[in-house]
Amino acid sequence: MASDPELSRRERARLRLDRQLNAIGRSLPALRRPLNAIRARGWWIVRLPIALIFILGGLLSILPFLGLWMLPVGLLLLAIDLPLLRAPVSNAIVRGRRWLAVRRHKRRR
């Protein structure tokens, strides 16, 4: 379906991000419901301020209660609504999942 020539680049990026979020939900069942909830239509009004707060918190990671982990979460939330960020964020998710798979494989050996 992703190789369909009628799909625009924007639509392919959205589908890829959806596939990656579904894969995260399958590998971490505890995150399945929250991931589905934040992806619901009409929630952009909630996602946008939360994403900006997470990004700001990630940038202020020198404070003890904030951390660098907040930056990718904020970018992920922002990518749901901004087509410009969908491709880079889904690429980062793919790379991160591959890196984790390699580490798990090495650890099992």
Side-chain angles (χ1 to χ4, degrees), residues 65-102:
F65 58 93
L66 302 173
L68 199 55
W69 63 271
M70 296 175 84
L71 189 59
V73 172
L75 289 173
L76 175 66
L77 289 172
L78 209 54
I80 294 171
D81 296 315
L82 293 178
L84 182 65
L85 288 177
R86 288 181 186 151
V89 168
S90 63
N91 288 340
I93 293 171
V94 168
R95 279 187 250 121
R97 289 181 59 225
R98 286 180 184 162
W99 181 79
L100 282 173
V102 167

Side-chain angles (χ1 to χ4, degrees), residues 36-48:
N36 289 337
I38 63 168
R39 291 164 46 194
R41 290 196 183 272
W43 277 64
W44 70 269
I45 196 83
V46 175
R47 275 191 304 261
L48 186 63

Side-chain angles (χ1 to χ4, degrees), residues 1-12 15:
M1 186 156 92
S3 63
D4 190 357
E6 294 182 18
L7 291 177
S8 68
R9 182 181 301 169
R10 182 178 287 182
E11 185 65 17
R12 284 193 308 266
L15 290 172

Side-chain angles (χ1 to χ4, degrees), residues 15-75:
L15 290 172
R16 186 175 190 204
L17 182 62
D18 284 342
R19 282 193 310 270
Q20 295 308 313
L21 292 174
N22 289 336
I24 291 171
R26 281 191 307 273
S27 64
L28 299 168
L31 291 180
R32 187 175 300 152
R33 289 183 91 180
L35 282 174
N36 289 337
I38 63 168
R39 291 164 46 194
R41 290 196 183 272
W43 277 64
W44 70 269
I45 196 83
V46 175
R47 275 191 304 261
L48 186 63
I50 292 174
L52 294 176
I53 290 170
F54 270 94
I55 291 170
L56 183 63
L59 294 175
L60 297 173
S61 63
I62 58 171
L63 299 174
F65 58 93
L66 302 173
L68 199 55
W69 63 271
M70 296 175 84
L71 189 59
V73 172
L75 289 173

